[in-house]
Amino acid sequence: MPAQRPRAAFEPISPDLNLAQLVESTANFEFAVRIPCDSIDNNGLESFNKLVLLHVILGGRPLVIEGFNKRLDSSLFSEKWLREHYSAKMETARDLTNKSNIPLSIGHYLNNMPLLTNQWTPYNYQEPNRQRIYLKDIDCPPEWHDHLKKNIPPSLFYLNECLGVTSASSNKNGTALPVTGTQIITAGDLMSCLPPHMRAENLMCYIGHEGTYTPCHQEMCASLGQNLMVEASDGSIENGKQTKQGSSIWFMTESKDRHVVSEYWMSTLGHDIDIEDHFAQINALKGAPFKVYIVEQKPGDFILIPPLAAQQVWNRGTRTTKVAWNRTTVETLDMALNEALPHARMVCRDEQYKNKAIVFFALERYSALFSHVNETNKDYSNSQQLRNDFQHLFSLYTYILLSECFSRTLPEENNVEYFSFDGNVTCSYCRCNIFNRFLTCPSCVGTLTSDGEDTYDICMECYAMGRSCACISRLKWVEQFHWGELTKNHEMWRQKILELDNDLKDHFQPLPVERARLGKKTLAEICQEQLIMRPWVDITKPVTTKVEGKTSDSENTTPPRKRRKVRASAQSKEDNRCHICKYTEPPWKLASCSYCKLNYCYGSLFRAFNILPQDTMEMYHWMCPKCLKICSCGACRKNPNITPFEPTCTLLGHDTRKIADPRSVDSLVDFRHSNLRWLKNVGDDEAGPLKKRLEAEERRNQSLVENCIQLEESPQVKSQQPTDYGEIPVDPALEHLDNSFFMPDSISL
């Protein structure tokens, strides 16, 4: 059995929590910065946009803009209006207690919110089986959308399509908030550059009661989060029932702390933040080695959430109603491609935003705008920002194309299928969106569905990791754009950049030059080589395992003292032994050092050295851990010239079998297994486990005790607890917001 780490349990927040006292008494807690919405009018939209860029996007800190309740129509954003217009509308609510979905009408939910709220008291709020019903991710009423569009700064609003030229004068009434003079307005949401049918619908409403919550998470695809509380119960009597004042408590971190937060979640709390299934205890956050920003969100509070910043929300009172959406900018696209998407791929989280396609279509829009600027021959005051965005997008496009370049030495791929791009092709394993090239299996075509044949399509990133269907090889190439079209656009956009600034010609080179100076194999080239190396498996003729006593990818962290013998028929003359786990594997399952010829299985490299398969495959000359003098196997640890590598992060393991296509297999690394044994037991074949890791475990356990962090009860204990919902309807929660300190009426923008 793989090593298991104790998991911190869910601990609810008391209804009578004194938030101000909590922040004042906790060293790493502080209220998020607040500004009044009137300051946007007073200082101008351009200055406000600069503040958002510097403070939220680049600075990575949350920002609260308060006072929007004065601009919103209270008769429209009300429980009464919802009841009159959408009472019969059926939605799917989330039962947080049972982790299930339940159908109910908006009217039924609104009627029972006082009952759901009144079940909680300062004395029983920790009872595990009381209902927490959250009406989350429901469509925003179009009437609300239209009203918000007139009152929210356009650069922050959903699917902002204001990219273009404007000569409008400033407006002080708070409705449109345009910029002054003749200027170029950059897009506030690059999602708007996609064709309408490809855009993600993410303007959503969230209605919750006391005790509903959103687990800790990061915004999808490193996007910017916007969350406005439009209405909440105020403690008055509604429909003959007494209500309690509603608000939401937010716990947020800074973008720069994202790696520390992720490691703390795994190593100390025993949860993976990418799974989005744990609401951290306040005591756990008190002992965290990073700053936590607190917001108490009330009606009119508009929260801007930084990209990749962790956040969790707790709802209070009878009712909180929020409208939320996400925005994609040039900066967030960079973080999405380089960081957020690789994490999402590991846990098989849907990529709804089509980030690579956004880069392509945004370049088309920006290019057309540049052509307009050149034709009018006017001096626009902020065109430099447009140029910077265009250059940044072009660099991302170059990165995308380089990953898809075929090998210059292998035989040319002549049998590439063309499938016209419609933006809807996703990887059968990780579920991420595929922009252009991918692999499909001609043998694994399932039954016909309403959308056509159920093909098995795998993205290049997953295939390089060893993910595929059970056939493993003989997959066929498919592309959704003609390669000549993509490279033609690349050169056209490069020339446009040079027309604006010829001094950049050394920085932006033609694609063949960029490919030549890349210095490593491209992702497509890795897949080409692996298609040749990996064997084809006839799935109609299952084979039996011939090697006894071995996990799928040499999971043992140290060589066992007694290994079971391998049957003679199981070994091939070409098979080699892994330097770490000592098991025999075929060459395609091993990384071979270009210098000493030692072999390492990919499972050992991943868990013991934090090396993904593609990290070795992309190197023309790969140097193994022993040659780098960091090998941590038992024999190398006795060498005084070697400093054994210690894994830099905790890997809890991800069982994606319930998410990925059931035809999927992992042929190189079994990602279900953690690296906890490496963290604790590397060196067991010597005198004992690593002292440093044991001390770290002791410090962790001591921290749990000192901060009174409760551990999760076992499933057996949970199953014995009674379930009694009484009259309370079922519905869980998603997202909530909280308290902040008040700023002066104006702030320097």
Side-chain angles (χ1 to χ4, degrees), residues 56 71 119 229 279 284 355 360 385 495 571 668 745:
V56 181
R71 301 187 177 189
Q119 67 176 319
M229 183 173 285
F279 186 94
N355 291 272
F360 177 80
Q385 180 61 47
Q495 291 298 332
Q571 294 189 15
L668 296 182
D745 289 339

Side-chain angles (χ1 to χ4, degrees), residues 641-657:
N641 297 321
I642 288 182
T643 302
F645 179 85
E646 296 180 6
T648 57
C649 61
T650 304
L651 305 172
L652 295 180
H654 301 293
D655 188 352
T656 58
R657 289 175 295 182

Side-chain angles (χ1 to χ4, degrees), residues 298-571:
K298 296 182 178 180
D301 286 345
F302 186 26
I303 301 181
L304 305 185
I305 305 148
L308 295 177
Q311 54 177 297
Q312 62 180 34
V313 190
W314 187 269
N315 293 320
R316 311 176 85 181
T318 302
R319 184 182 62 260
T320 59
T321 306
K322 289 164 283 188
V323 178
W325 62 95
N326 294 76
R327 292 190 299 122
T328 299
T329 69
V330 175
E331 294 81 11
T332 68
L333 277 174
D334 196 330
M335 288 184 275
L337 294 179
N338 289 287
E339 191 167 341
L341 288 182
H343 290 168
R345 185 170 293 109
M346 290 297 296
V347 299
C348 298
R349 184 183 182 188
D350 283 0
E351 181 204 351
Q352 299 179 7
Y353 291 177
K354 303 177 175 65
N355 291 272
K356 292 182 179 180
I358 291 177
V359 172
F360 177 80
F361 287 101
L363 279 169
E364 285 190 334
R365 288 276 292 274
Y366 272 72
S367 178
L369 182 56
F370 265 125
S371 298
H372 172 77
V373 171
N374 292 336
E375 290 172 2
T376 57
N377 199 28
K378 290 184 179 180
D379 183 18
Y380 295 96
S381 60
N382 65 337
S383 61
Q384 186 58 47
Q385 180 61 47
L386 186 74
R387 296 182 185 186
N388 293 340
D389 287 353
F390 187 71
Q391 293 168 15
H392 198 163
L393 286 167
F394 181 76
S395 296
L396 295 178
Y397 183 63
T398 301
Y399 164 80
I400 294 170
L401 289 197
L402 284 175
S403 71
E404 299 203 354
C405 287
F406 283 141
S407 171
R408 296 171 295 177
T409 57
L410 293 174
E412 184 177 354
E413 298 285 350
N414 294 317
N415 190 26
V416 179
E417 179 185 350
Y418 175 73
F419 180 82
S420 181
F421 179 79
D422 63 5
N424 294 319
V425 176
T426 59
C427 177
S428 296
Y429 197 115
C430 72
R431 300 162 67 181
C432 285
N433 185 259
I434 299 176
F435 171 63
N436 183 35
R437 284 177 172 165
F438 63 95
L439 293 163
T440 189
C441 182
S443 303
C444 290
V445 178
T447 58
L448 286 174
T449 67
S450 58
D451 298 324
E453 289 182 332
D454 183 17
T455 59
Y456 190 91
D457 304 322
I458 195 79
C459 67
M460 294 186 292
E461 290 86 353
C462 277
Y463 191 72
M465 293 165 62
R467 294 169 163 180
S468 68
C469 61
C471 298
I472 298 181
S473 190
R474 291 193 186 177
L475 278 69
K476 303 297 182 183
W477 284 102
V478 184
E479 61 183 17
Q480 301 176 78
F481 292 90
H482 293 296
W483 187 247
E485 175 187 351
L486 296 177
T487 55
K488 179 181 178 181
N489 283 331
H490 183 275
E491 183 60 21
M492 177 182 67
W493 293 330
R494 189 181 75 89
Q495 291 298 332
K496 188 151 296 191
I497 291 175
L498 300 184
E499 288 174 9
L500 298 169
D501 189 350
N502 192 55
D503 292 339
L504 297 173
K505 61 181 179 181
D506 291 334
H507 185 72
F508 296 104
Q509 293 286 342
L511 189 63
V513 177
E514 296 282 5
R515 173 67 185 91
R517 67 183 188 182
L518 184 61
K520 60 183 181 180
K521 301 172 186 176
T522 69
L523 190 58
E525 185 175 0
I526 291 173
C527 293
Q528 286 181 290
E529 292 181 345
Q530 293 302 308
L531 283 169
I532 297 172
M533 293 180 61
R534 298 177 190 178
W536 175 66
V537 176
D538 188 349
I539 58 176
T540 65
K541 300 176 181 178
V543 295
T544 57
T545 303
K546 297 182 179 180
V547 181
E548 299 179 357
K550 179 185 181 304
T551 52
S552 60
D553 64 347
S554 307
E555 296 299 335
N556 293 331
T557 58
T558 57
R561 299 190 181 280
K562 292 184 178 181
R563 293 186 299 275
R564 297 182 182 180
K565 294 182 179 180
V566 180
R567 298 178 186 174
S569 60
Q571 294 189 15

